């Protein structure tokens, strides 16, 4: 009778431990899969942002002609920098 009870208890404990381990492995695998998915989504976002930035930079690039003068884009950038500097000085004075 004692032997039967001991075997039943050992069997139940082993089954519980096995189920717990299986559940833990499943949860861990699910967590890792979610983390990998989030990582890949983040990578895709950064990659897309980089592509857009590169495309924008290529579109904004100035093309110089050999022997010619530079384009008027530099005067626009100069005015923009002046405006930014003025705004920064006004904000500092507040």
């Amino acid at each position: 009778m004692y032997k039967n009870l001991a075997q039943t208890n050992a069997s139940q404990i082993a089954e519980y431990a096995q189920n717990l381990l299986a559940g833990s492995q499943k949860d861990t695998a699910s967590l890792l899969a979610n983390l990998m998915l989030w990582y890949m989504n983040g990578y895709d976002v950064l990659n897309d942002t980089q592509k857009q930035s590169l495309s924008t930079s290529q579109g904004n690039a100035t093309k110089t002609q050999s022997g010619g003068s530079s384009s008027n884009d530099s005067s626009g950038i100069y005015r923009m920098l002046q405006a930014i500097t003025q705004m920064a000085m006004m904000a500092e004075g507040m």
Side-chain angles (χ1 to χ4, degrees):
M1 185 168 182
Y2 177 76
K3 183 178 177 183
N4 188 22
L5 179 63
Q7 287 176 343
T8 303
N9 285 343
S11 175
Q12 288 177 348
I13 290 172
E15 184 179 346
Y16 174 74
Q18 186 177 5
N19 288 338
L20 189 62
L21 181 60
S24 176
Q25 287 175 339
K26 183 179 177 184
D27 292 344
T28 302
S30 177
L31 176 66
L32 288 174
N34 284 335
L35 288 173
M36 186 59 94
L37 180 65
W38 293 338
Y39 170 79
M40 293 307 293
N41 285 343
Y43 176 80
D44 288 343
V45 167
L46 291 176
N47 193 27
D48 187 48
T49 302
Q50 186 179 18
K51 283 181 187 176
Q52 289 177 0
S53 177
L54 181 58
S55 176
T56 302
S57 295
Q58 287 174 341
N60 290 339
T62 58
K63 281 131 179 113
T64 57
Q65 298 173 353
S66 60
S69 62
S70 64
S71 67
N72 290 335
D73 288 333
S74 62
S75 63
I77 292 172
Y78 178 73
R79 285 191 305 247
M80 184 172 60
L81 287 174
Q82 275 185 319
I84 291 170
T85 304
Q86 287 175 354
M87 286 189 293
M89 291 172 64
M90 287 173 46
E92 189 175 295
M94 291 180 148

